[in-house]
Amino acid sequence: MSEVAVPILQIGDTLLVTLQGDLDDATVVRIEQHLTEEVARTQAAGVLIDVSGLTVVDSFIARVLARVVGMIRLLGAQAAIVGIAPAVAITLVELGIPMGHLDTALNAEQGLALLRRLRDDAVRGDGYGAD
């Protein structure tokens, strides 16, 4: 497997990945694979995907973001997208890609609070995966 240029930091039981610059499709797919492997390897409870460094998001990147959040949840962790720039938000809405299932926050601090709340909801049975 080729090396992934995007580091994944572990903060307690949470992983943080920051996406920056112009990402090509192959890089996005490698990040997706590496991130899901790291969630499984570290048994992370939460993942923050920081997109504040992205100025352009095309439909492929948007679909991969939506897909990777679903994969992370299947692995038993909560995920949140943080740092969406206004122009990126407009693009995501205009692309019409279903993203309603994504949890988002303005920044990493709010994202960590969101992940704690999602985990607490899941423990109480009012969150994702509750019966």
Side-chain angles (χ1 to χ4, degrees), residues 39-123:
V39 170
R41 185 185 69 77
T42 63
Q43 299 180 355
V47 177
L48 287 180
I49 302 172
D50 179 6
V51 297
S52 62
L54 296 179
T55 55
V56 176
V57 173
D58 63 16
S59 61
F60 184 78
I61 292 174
R63 282 194 303 271
V64 171
L65 283 174
R67 189 172 67 201
V68 75
V69 167
M71 292 175 183
I72 290 167
R73 288 189 179 134
L74 284 174
L75 292 169
Q78 300 293 337
I81 307 285
V82 301
I84 299 174
V88 170
I90 291 168
T91 301
L92 291 174
V93 170
E94 289 178 348
L95 290 172
I97 296 170
M99 302 188 85
H101 68 288
L102 299 180
D103 292 301
T104 62
L106 289 177
N107 55 48
E109 183 177 358
Q110 291 180 7
L112 287 171
L114 173 62
L115 289 178
R116 278 191 299 274
R117 196 169 52 249
L118 291 171
R119 281 182 259 174
D120 290 346
D121 289 349
V123 168

Side-chain angles (χ1 to χ4, degrees), residues 15 37 74 76 83 122:
L15 299 179
E37 288 171 355
L74 284 174

Side-chain angles (χ1 to χ4, degrees), residues 17-38:
V17 60
T18 301
L19 306 180
Q20 298 180 354
D22 295 327
L23 299 175
D24 60 56
D25 293 354
T27 300
V28 173
V29 170
R30 282 195 308 271
I31 292 169
E32 174 187 54
Q33 182 176 0
H34 184 56
L35 183 56
T36 53
E37 288 171 355
E38 284 300 296

